[in-house]
Amino acid sequence: MIPAVLPTYNRAPLSFVSGQGAWLTEADGRRFLDFAAGIAVNALGHAHPDLVRVLSEQAAQLWHVSNLYHIPAQEALAAQLVDLTFADTVFFTNSGTESCELAVKMARKYWFEQGQSDRVEIITFSGSFHGRSAAGIAAAGSEKMTHGFAPLLPGFTHLDWGDLDGLKALLTSEQAGKIAAVLLEPVQGEGGIRPIADADLQAIRALCDAAGALLILDEVQCGMGRTGRLFAYEWAGVLPDIMMVAKGIGGGFPLGAVLATENAASGMTAGTHGSTYGGNPLGCAVGLEVLRHVSDPAFLDEISRKAGFLRQQLEALVAAHPDVFAEVRGSGLMIGLVCRTPNMDVVQAGYGQELLTVPAADNVVRLLPPLTVSEDEISQAVDRLDRAASQIAAVAV
Ligand SMILES: *Cc1c(COP(=O)(O)O)cnc(C)c1O
């Protein structure tokens, strides 16, 4: 018999009743160190007092009004994001996949309004993840996500991750005039924590400029302080035309956004897009408080400092367990442990040590702690990984 909840997830036999900072507690009191953070969502950890306060205050005042009316918190959050980024304008969504939908629509509408209605093609890369909507799965294009869901949304060309030669060939070919945009994650999350080199992102920007194509960055996972900058594109000094955001921006409240330049957004006039819940008062009140914390330069510096500490300890861990781990990679507090043993073995052994991590493609275990994690908690997580790896090695012999 089918379970009452549609069985689309492989769930771990864990269930939490409360959270505090980087810790989650089960009903029996068992406490887990949370280096998953809802997959890079709980940026300020669980039950952050400032977020609890603003959410409670807003809940007592006004939950929801339609976008038929002005929503002051939405306007304030948009203005701050514009101040802090490349963007001139912001549309609020409730999730990453909705941000992907709008990013795709915006790029195509841009060229339509430029009189190039056949300029619809969007180039994406293998290993990408852009959400589970029709546009999201077509954009990522992997067999795993698209199998059985045909007909897929047309207009996506897939290249291998990092295939700059292939990109250059496309953007300098006769087909270049059909290419609306290039879409990528500056650090692939689901794909196995694969950062793009700064020089490669710069080269992609230059190729887009030469061909006139728009550059869309998906910072749903790597944005909002995760890499130690408010947005990952800042490391390379490369400005996108359109950017997808979600996950960390709501700190656990469903909130997403599409940021864009005035030029890229020029096709999106009144009536061309909308959302019932996007930018609602509750989400924007929380979003403003998350951004107040995460955009603080001292907070961002602290992320980089803690990331360095984590990285150093993980290098030692990999060296101590060469049969279990191959490599550490990533950026800031978005870290991938490339495994030699099956990554799920490491994740599950971690559960046994009361540590939560997340598997990713390419046999990677992801470490995505709350950005508020302490050095002591980082040490505890590495100790737990060390015990988990010893246990795997003991079973293997
Ligand atoms: C999680 C994720 C999405 C999809 O976000 P949802 O909120 O699950 O719809 C899109 N892109 C990236 C890079 C993600 O990590």
Side-chain angles (χ1 to χ4, degrees):
M1 207 173 70
I2 191 165
V5 175
L6 190 72
T8 58
Y9 299 105
N10 283 315
R11 294 176 197 271
L14 301 170
S15 173
F16 302 103
V17 294
S18 67
Q20 194 69 58
W23 297 86
L24 281 170
T25 306
E26 288 195 299
D28 63 2
R30 210 175 152 205
R31 290 175 82 231
F32 286 72
L33 187 48
D34 185 8
F35 270 48
I39 314 189
V41 167
N42 303 99
L44 301 186
H46 301 279
H48 191 290
D50 291 345
L51 296 190
V52 172
R53 179 179 45 76
V54 296
L55 183 70
S56 315
E57 283 172 10
Q58 188 61 46
Q61 213 177 327
L62 183 65
W63 292 26
H64 174 81
V65 290
S66 168
N67 281 303
L68 291 168
Y69 315 112
H70 286 273
I71 301 175
Q74 187 186 122
E75 287 164 19
L77 183 53
Q80 291 192 14
L81 287 167
V82 164
D83 270 354
L84 290 163
T85 69
F86 76 97
D88 302 312
T89 189
V90 182
F91 182 93
F92 291 102
T93 68
N94 309 284
S95 67
T97 201
E98 287 171 76
S99 295
C100 178
E101 290 293 317
L102 174 55
V104 167
K105 285 178 68 177
M106 185 183 280
R108 290 183 175 163
K109 188 64 158 44
Y110 173 79
W111 289 112
F112 179 88
E113 295 296 339
Q114 302 291 312
Q116 300 187 41
S117 56
D118 59 348
R119 192 161 186 168
V120 300
E121 203 66 24
I122 295 176
I123 300 177
T124 64
F125 296 89
S126 62
S128 298
F129 184 80
H130 302 299
R132 298 297 195 134
S133 63
I137 63 173
S142 72
E143 173 66 13
K144 188 177 158 219
M145 275 183 281
T146 58
H147 184 76
F149 295 119
L152 299 181
L153 186 68
F156 294 95
T157 301
H158 304 104
L159 291 176
D160 285 340
W161 178 240
D163 181 9
L164 289 195
D165 292 340
L167 184 65
K168 185 172 182 183
L170 280 171
L171 285 173
T172 53
S173 72
E174 277 169 20
Q175 292 305 303
K178 302 281 181 281
I179 296 165
V182 175
L183 161 60
L184 75 153
E185 298 159 71
V187 185
Q188 283 194 341
E190 306 298 311
I193 311 292
R194 298 194 293 182
I196 190 153
D198 290 350
D200 287 356
L201 194 54
Q202 288 155 4
I204 290 171
R205 177 75 264 185
L207 287 169
C208 286
D209 287 343
L214 300 173
L215 177 62
I216 307 173
L217 293 181
D218 180 345
E219 294 225 16
V220 168
Q221 194 164 146
C222 64
M224 285 305 290
R226 188 49 58 186
T227 68
R229 293 281 180 94
L230 186 55
F231 290 102
Y233 73 78
E234 296 170 29
W235 289 109
V238 162
L239 306 186
D241 299 290
I242 301 172
M243 183 167 74
M244 298 151 53
V245 181
K247 293 205 166 101
I249 193 173
F253 194 95
L255 178 65
V258 174
L259 280 61
T261 63
E262 182 170 13
N263 181 46
S266 57
M268 303 307 294
T269 51
T272 56
H273 196 65
S275 166
T276 295
Y277 292 121
N280 66 77
L282 279 176
C284 290
V286 175
L288 276 166
E289 190 61 20
V290 172
L291 189 61
R292 189 175 74 77
H293 283 266
V294 175
S295 65
D296 178 348
F299 185 84
L300 290 165
D301 285 349
E302 186 68 359
I303 292 170
S304 288
R305 201 187 53 74
K306 291 185 293 196
F309 180 71
L310 172 61
R311 191 72 178 233
Q312 201 179 10
Q313 298 212 9
L314 290 175
E315 298 289 357
L317 176 80
V318 170
H321 299 279
D323 298 335
V324 178
F325 301 116
E327 188 197 334
V328 189
R329 67 186 181 203
S331 178
L333 290 174
M334 185 173 183
I335 293 293
L337 278 169
V338 186
C339 298
R340 291 199 202 279
T341 51
N343 59 348
M344 268 322 285
D345 290 0
V346 175
V347 171
Q348 264 153 12
Y351 294 155
Q353 301 298 329
E354 286 145 7
L355 173 71
L356 305 179
T357 61
V358 196
D362 214 20
N363 206 35
V364 162
V365 171
R366 266 181 284 183
L367 304 181
L368 302 163
L371 305 178
T372 50
V373 70
S374 71
E375 257 185 31
D376 178 56
E377 287 161 341
I378 288 172
S379 296
Q380 288 190 53
V382 176
D383 284 347
R384 288 165 194 230
L385 279 168
D386 182 52
R387 288 200 293 273
S390 299
Q391 207 177 39
I392 290 168
V395 170
V397 289

